[in-house]
Amino acid sequence: MTNETKGKGFVWQTRVLDPSPKAPSGFRSLAPAVYRGSTVTFDRLADAHDDWRGNRYTYGLYGTPTTRELGARVAQLESAHASFVVPGGQSAILLIYLTFCKADSHILLPDSAYGPNAELADGLLAGLGIEVESYDPLIGAGIAALIRPTTRLIWCESPGSITMEIQDVPAIVTAAHDAGVPVALDNTYAAGVFFDAFAHGVDVSMQAITKYVGGHSDLLLATVSVIEDAMLERVGTAHRLLGLAVSPDDCALALRGLQTLAIRLQRLEGTAIEVARWCKEQTEIDRVLHPALEDCPGHDIWRRDFTGSSSVFSIVLGRDWSGDRVTRFVEALRIFRIGFSWGGTTALVMAYESLPRKTGAYEGWLVRLNVGLEDPADLIADLEQAFAGASR
Ligand SMILES: Cc1ncc(COP(=O)(O)O)c(C=O)c1O
């Protein structure tokens, strides 16, 4: 008996529950369909087993047409073999750790990595007997000296969070691969496009699509991408066991975000460079940490390896800036909002005091700016009035 005929001959209370589709198929919309669903039904008992591989659907957790569509399109964007969609950047980081590490593993993480990554290392992972050692993000080939027989993973994040160090990823990859160690990259800043992770030898690359792919500060999602079958198998197995379910509605928003990613990135890049160049001329600012400007540690590597820059950069304030003056400056801003998660349409600001870095501590205050789609001249005027206000 087919699904079509299964519901016939029953009372309406039963018939109304018949899940087989009644509408004609073949609606070829430009917008990908949103499929919600936990349970998937089978025609044959023999097909009823969990599977995350191949083209079958077996359970909503392991993929719906909507989540798979998003994964496939991000994989295409990043020239990856496949991309897994996960609930957010932090869960992508966790998935990568749990794929490669077990008790007694040693991991290398740049000291400029996204803060909650380091917190995860010092907290939950330390409790599981996994040792995460931080390294100078500008170490390049020197990473070889830190690799131990128990090293199971080397993380890169380029540019680093807040202090914006550009890493020599190819040199780190060469040293890692010589020792048989895989390299993972947090490629969120580059939106998976301004730095081609796989062309530079990275084994597994993640990005918080919360930021640029989503692009409107209204969803939390991330992707973990792999370049070949063996990695697909390892990451996919851990992904299945961790139960990292994602909302198909959020995936649909991310699919929509992809349509305007190129045009938003182009605008954000232009605005960020214009605002950063203006900042460089201000006497109140010691340094501007923007990958496209020479002040940025690793700028030459950015020129060599990247095809663009995005919306976030930091300014280092002079030593004469007290905490009160920084607060006055940040709170005087009218367009830039105080907030953490960048990459949307709105300009954001956040202040950080004394970030410890192996390359030389930033002892004063750093302010991270994220430009949105606002007019660049308005953003500059906003900064100008806030600097003036903070000096009074
Ligand atoms: C570099 C980087 N990686 C990962 C994340 C985490 O992403 P999510 O907010 O989706 O957990 C962030 C968030 O700010 C980030 O800046």
Side-chain angles (χ1 to χ4, degrees), residues 88-90 93 114 157 161 186 188 206 208 210-211 220-221 342:
Q90 187 68 358
I93 291 168
Y114 173 56
E157 183 184 322
S161 280
D186 185 333
T188 301
M206 53 91 24
T210 306
K211 315 285 193 249
L220 285 149
L221 279 177
W342 35 277

Side-chain angles (χ1 to χ4, degrees), residues 95-110:
L95 169 60
I96 291 172
Y97 275 119
L98 294 186
T99 298
F100 296 99
C101 312
K102 54 184 195 244
D104 300 327
S105 295
H106 169 252
I107 317 300
L108 289 163
L109 176 71

Side-chain angles (χ1 to χ4, degrees), residues 84-140:
F84 294 91
V85 184
V86 298
Q90 187 68 358
S91 56
I93 291 168
L94 178 67
L95 169 60
I96 291 172
Y97 275 119
L98 294 186
T99 298
F100 296 99
C101 312
K102 54 184 195 244
D104 300 327
S105 295
H106 169 252
I107 317 300
L108 289 163
L109 176 71
D111 70 0
S112 52
Y114 173 56
N117 183 336
E119 282 177 50
L120 177 63
D122 290 344
L124 292 180
L125 297 182
L128 295 174
I130 297 168
E131 184 192 348
V132 183
E133 182 185 351
S134 77
Y135 70 88
D136 168 3
L138 301 177
I139 197 167

Side-chain angles (χ1 to χ4, degrees), residues 172-240:
I172 292 174
V173 164
T174 303
H177 288 180
D178 282 352
V181 178
V183 175
L185 173 71
D186 185 333
N187 206 15
T188 301
Y189 170 90
V193 291
F194 288 142
F195 181 81
D196 185 339
F198 299 116
H200 290 96
V202 165
D203 299 283
V204 54
S205 177
M206 53 91 24
Q207 62 160 318
I209 63 173
T210 306
K211 315 285 193 249
Y212 294 117
V213 172
H216 297 76
S217 312
D218 55 2
L219 62 88
L220 285 149
L221 279 177
T223 48
V224 176
S225 303
V226 294
I227 188 61
E228 40 85 27
D229 266 333
M231 279 296 157
L232 176 78
E233 192 62 31
R234 289 183 75 177
V235 176
T237 303
H239 179 259
R240 173 177 122 65

Side-chain angles (χ1 to χ4, degrees), residues 352-373:
Y352 301 86
E353 189 185 8
S354 303
L355 289 172
R357 294 287 190 262
K358 288 186 166 54
T359 41
Y362 288 94
E363 275 164 20
W365 283 84
L366 267 91
V367 171
R368 186 178 69 186
L369 298 173
N370 167 67
V371 302
L373 298 181

